[in-house]
Amino acid sequence: MMTKIPQRSSNNFETKMFYLKKPLRFVPLLILTGFLFANTSLAQTEFKLDGIIIETNAKHIDPAAFKAKITLAFELLKTKAPSDYATMKSFIGKIRAYQASGANFNEDIMTIDIAKATFDASLEWLTSVLAHETTHIKKYKDTGKKFGDAHLLTDKKAALQIMINEELDCNKVQLAVLEKVGGAKYEIDYLRAQKGDHFDIDKDGDYDMDDYKGRKW
Ligand SMILES: [Zn+2]
């Protein structure tokens, strides 16, 4: 007589565990996905300030500080340089905390990116940067060219000159705003001394990813 092979009934504990195990394997994945989602949405929040979306990002700048200082910059620009404020309002859809500062034409909404170093400068400087980046975006909207479409030129020297000219135009607007909002003398002197090639960080005569990655402002 054969030894009876024990049959597992459906009430058997191990059998239950077997059926439970499979779906349980997905639980950590679900938790992880949920965590990442919550993390992203917590890191990034947005609100509207006078019609412009302000996107905070805890990864780059403390959200409460970003909200407070951008609000002050808006107030300063509105009271001391109302025409520049009106220009910003008509061309800019979003201002966000980001890893590098700059005019961002590549978003659906025309965006000014603000990095920590720019943010940590004086309120007057930050305010003047809003006017600087607005000018880049206004030029794009007026001409359809991004930074003068310098990247389309094969002649790198000519391309650099186009970018320098655009920078000088934006610096001019920024300087006027910096003076209107009461920027410090050292800031005004610093901006006046710029040759328009501040984007060429590695000074190799062009502006490329090496420069972008080398930027901390
Ligand atoms: Zn610029």
Side-chain angles (χ1 to χ4, degrees), residues 132-133 136 147 167 170 198:
H132 179 109
E133 305 306 347
H136 279 299
F147 296 116
E167 276 315 302
C170 296
H198 71 271

Side-chain angles (χ1 to χ4, degrees), residues 120-169:
D120 288 341
S122 74
L123 174 65
E124 293 78 15
W125 183 265
L126 175 64
T127 305
S128 74
V129 168
L130 295 180
H132 179 109
E133 305 306 347
T134 293
T135 310
H136 279 299
I137 288 182
K138 182 181 185 305
K139 280 174 169 289
Y140 166 59
K141 284 290 175 184
D142 289 348
T143 65
K145 292 178 181 176
K146 297 178 178 179
F147 296 116
D149 275 354
H151 63 285
L152 298 179
L153 294 180
T154 44
D155 182 346
K156 281 199 157 195
K157 263 193 142 180
L160 184 65
Q161 195 54 54
I162 285 177
M163 293 186 74
I164 288 174
N165 292 344
E166 171 145 345
E167 276 315 302
L168 289 173
D169 284 349

Side-chain angles (χ1 to χ4, degrees), residues 3 20 31 36-37 58 82 86 89 93 108 138 140 142 148-149 151 153 163 171 210:
T3 314
L20 275 173
I31 291 171
L36 288 175
F37 181 75
K89 280 213 13 157
D108 291 337
K138 182 181 185 305
Y140 166 59
D142 289 348
D149 275 354
H151 63 285
L153 294 180
M163 293 186 74
N171 284 353
D210 292 335

Side-chain angles (χ1 to χ4, degrees), residues 59-121:
K59 264 191 347 196
H60 305 297
I61 297 165
D62 174 69
F66 193 72
K67 185 178 178 178
K69 200 167 178 181
I70 292 292
T71 303
L72 288 175
F74 270 43
E75 283 304 314
L76 188 60
L77 195 61
K78 197 194 284 185
T79 46
K80 299 283 180 65
S83 69
D84 298 279
Y85 185 74
T87 308
M88 179 180 78
K89 280 213 13 157
S90 59
F91 287 98
I92 305 302
K94 187 193 273 192
I95 296 171
R96 66 175 178 180
Y98 205 59
Q99 62 202 29
S101 294
N104 196 328
F105 321 101
N106 303 319
E107 302 292 317
D108 291 337
I109 302 170
M110 290 299 111
T111 298
I112 295 176
D113 294 336
I114 298 291
K116 183 134 177 48
T118 302
F119 183 77
D120 288 341

Side-chain angles (χ1 to χ4, degrees), residues 167-186:
E167 276 315 302
L168 289 173
D169 284 349
C170 296
N171 284 353
K172 211 166 130 184
V173 175
Q174 182 180 1
L175 180 62
V177 168
L178 191 59
E179 286 174 331
K180 285 183 218 168
V181 302
K185 187 180 178 299
Y186 79 90

